[in-house]
Amino acid sequence: MVKRYVTALGIAAIMLPAWGADVAAQAQPVGTAVQVSSGWALVFDTEARYTSWSGPRGFPNSYAPGTPARGSLFHMPMAMALTGLVNPDLKLELLARTGLVEARQNAGGGLVGTVRTMTDTVVSGTVTWLGTPGIQPFFALNANLPTGSAYLNGTSAFARMDPDLVEVPTFGEGFNLGATLGANVPIGENSMATFSVSHTHRGGFTRDPTDIFGGPDTRIQPGASTSGTAQLAHMMGALLLRAAATYTYTSATRIDGGLAVIQGDSFALTGTAAYTWSPEHQTTFTAAYSHTRSNANFILALNQFQREAFNSNSNALRLRLDHSWRVTQDWTLGVYGTWFNRDANAYIPTAFQFIPAKTKWGLGGSARYQVAPNAAITGRFEHFWVNQSSRPDIDFGGVIPGSAIPALSFTGWTVSLGGNITF
């Protein structure tokens, strides 16, 4: 009984997302598993999501000033997970996730880009040892398979959009391989701590020219990353509290074979509080914050890296409040509100673009129908508003006239329909 309780709390702690340098990027849920024969569960989860936005300029904001822009994204992620006990003391978890995406942006002035492609495919496996009282060590391997499209031909490059407006701003990268070693440590009857260390090797890839009007292709070799994470989950009656802290170091990135930049170290904090008022009502509050230090750029004349004078990265804060209401045995309704702030323009070296500072609000609702004990369908709708800060002329050793961006406002909405089934 104790082992089952500790295992369940450990899973809750592990599933708390470890947010990276940008909290806008989130893992996709696999769904609610229902145990099948011999303690194994096979879950298939998919969802069709459509996002549409409009505003005075497209992305990047320097294109076609003064002309209205709009964009849309259709994304259909698919995931399959297998979880079970190899023996009473050894748990195995296997996951495969991929998806289809169609993106279109009209940046104004006839600058239109469209992309239809698969996303990259992520596969992972985790083994957890349950046979040692007081500690549950685990080891995970995960890989990113380059089934997407890092290289976009011609005007299709205009389909890359602001990552704070859409959930899939880019469409592929190289082969990545990562490993995680960690342990779950029970603390009394109601708490679980999790500690882990991860290292990811990121493979090189070729993308289209950074100057979309011509120029050579760009070969990017992203730096490897190493991170350490500490997580804590605590159950206090009807209240579940979870918190996590992650520190990430990234090595040098090479562009066209030459040393280019070392992304600044990042620190991320996440916290969740979920309160169950009754069997029918639950409220969840989630907060996530990330900070990235200034980058170190390679100075060819000095043949060394030099920390930039000002931090070209940003701090990001995301808040979300959810409330779910189980109306009947089969129907569950939900409402939620979100708030996101990026405090400064952030430069992404591998994308060669600034992500503008902004504030974003969102209001939405959901409905879930339990079709059968092993299958459910969920629909969601959200409307969002974005206020983007102005930006002065870019100064890279000299001011670039006309590169300033005024304050901008955008609106948009997202609708989705998905489901999961356990075999």
Side-chain angles (χ1 to χ4, degrees), residues 56-81:
R57 294 193 186 186
F59 180 79
N61 298 146
S62 54
Y63 293 155
T67 59
R70 61 185 182 276
S72 63
L73 178 82
F74 173 79
H75 181 210
M76 187 174 180
M78 295 168 280
M80 183 169 287

Side-chain angles (χ1 to χ4, degrees), residues 94-379:
L94 301 175
L95 171 69
R97 184 172 64 243
T98 189
L100 303 173
V101 64
E102 179 175 344
R104 177 181 174 84
Q105 179 180 212
N106 185 337
L111 304 179
V112 180
T114 302
V115 170
R116 298 179 184 88
T117 182
M118 288 184 63
T119 60
D120 282 356
T121 299
V122 175
V123 293
S124 67
T126 303
V127 291
T128 304
W129 177 254
L130 307 176
T132 304
I135 188 171
Q136 296 178 354
F138 61 88
F139 177 74
L141 278 177
N142 60 83
N144 180 84
L145 309 180
T147 55
S149 301
Y151 190 99
L152 302 182
N153 289 309
T155 59
S156 60
F158 284 113
R160 293 190 180 100
M161 289 178 272
D162 188 326
D164 297 332
L165 293 180
V166 296
E167 64 181 14
V168 186
T170 58
F171 312 103
E173 51 181 279
F175 173 78
N176 302 337
L177 182 63
T180 300
L181 180 64
N184 304 316
V185 183
I187 304 174
E189 289 293 322
N190 299 314
S191 302
M192 172 74 77
T194 301
F195 304 95
S196 63
V197 177
S198 302
H199 180 79
T200 301
H201 168 77
R202 302 181 66 192
F205 60 95
T206 300
R207 60 154 286 169
D208 44 286
T210 56
D211 179 359
I212 60 172
F213 299 105
D217 296 341
T218 302
R219 181 67 181 176
I220 299 175
Q221 176 61 63
S225 64
T226 302
S227 63
T229 300
Q231 306 182 47
L232 179 65
H234 177 69
M235 296 182 69
M236 190 166 52
L239 179 65
L240 172 62
L241 300 173
R242 297 183 294 181
T246 300
Y247 188 86
T248 303
Y249 165 79
T250 304
S251 61
T253 291
R254 291 178 176 268
I255 298 177
D256 292 331
L259 292 170
V261 63
I262 298 177
Q263 189 80 16
D265 297 354
S266 66
F267 179 70
L269 292 172
T270 60
T272 300
Y275 190 83
T276 302
W277 304 92
S278 68
E280 293 80 24
H281 291 273
Q282 184 182 66
T283 301
T284 303
F285 176 74
T286 303
Y289 169 81
S290 72
H291 168 77
T292 304
R293 295 183 58 207
S294 57
N295 301 334
N297 299 311
F298 187 75
I299 309 301
L300 186 60
L302 302 177
N303 196 33
Q304 66 181 25
F305 284 97
Q306 191 171 87
R307 188 71 60 182
E308 57 190 6
F310 66 95
N311 192 347
S312 62
N313 297 305
S314 62
N315 299 316
L317 176 63
R318 185 185 300 274
L319 306 176
R320 179 177 174 121
L321 181 65
D322 294 80
H323 183 80
S324 63
W325 173 32
R326 190 172 184 178
V327 183
T328 68
Q329 187 70 19
D330 298 327
W331 281 98
T332 301
L333 303 179
V335 294
Y336 60 89
T338 62
W339 182 86
F340 170 78
N341 177 260
R342 185 183 297 281
D343 69 344
N345 300 310
Y347 186 71
I348 310 300
T350 54
F352 303 94
Q353 298 293 347
F354 273 97
I355 307 301
K358 63 173 68 65
T359 300
K360 180 180 180 180
W361 299 265
L363 292 174
S366 65
R368 176 184 174 90
Y369 179 65
Q370 196 72 34
V371 181
N374 67 328
I377 297 174
T378 302

